[in-house]
Amino acid sequence: MWTGVGAALALAAGAVVWGAMTYADPASDDAAPGRVKNDRLRTDALLHSGLLQVRHQDIPNAKATFRRVLALDPENKFAWYNLGVLAQNEGHRADAHHAYDAALKSDASYTSALFNKALLLETSDPDAALTLLRRAVAADPKASTAHFHIGATLARKGRDEQARDAYRRAVGLDPSLRPRVPEAYRDSVAPSPSSDESTEAAVNSETPGR
């Protein structure tokens, strides 16, 4: 559902999103000093190991591995993000919030961190969650799950037409989401490419200060 470099371990309409490792451009590696290049290779290898440990449910060692990444690169958004996912899955909301904030400090448009932080706030602060979700779709307009949660949040706020538009965008990007759309909205959200522009306008019109 997200686009870009990397691979996600898990993602569904209500699920926490896993972070993905990425690699530097080879040309920039060649120009980098040896120590910097070696540190980058080590962090990439550790991130890969950490994700494998998560796959095998070796959570304590996965946490330790992601912290080793941060010892090498304190601003590594992938390590912070994956520590946030682990904390969120364990119900440690404050720790997850801190980790996502650290990831976003490194990259303010990191879509997965914006999305997961929004999930933390959907119930307690829906307006803040909407702001984060809008930032997520601004960074990645094809983030169907973020559009879906915009729809869900707007529906809970009673903004039915805007919720329909957001659901329509989500289903247009990923038709498999349609069964998850609440029944009251489902008939109006058949995938339609023509819905993109109207949905974008509706989402933008909800942004405070515009």
Side-chain angles (χ1 to χ4, degrees), residues 11-17 88 115 119 122 145 148-149 177 180:
L11 179 59
V16 172
V17 183
Q88 190 167 357
F115 176 78
L119 289 189
E122 268 189 320
T145 311
F148 183 95
H149 279 268
L177 289 174
R180 299 175 180 270

Side-chain angles (χ1 to χ4, degrees), residues 150-167:
I150 289 172
T153 305
L154 290 171
R156 286 193 294 270
K157 293 170 75 66
R159 300 176 183 176
D160 290 338
E161 287 304 314
Q162 292 154 344
R164 285 189 182 91
D165 285 339
Y167 281 134

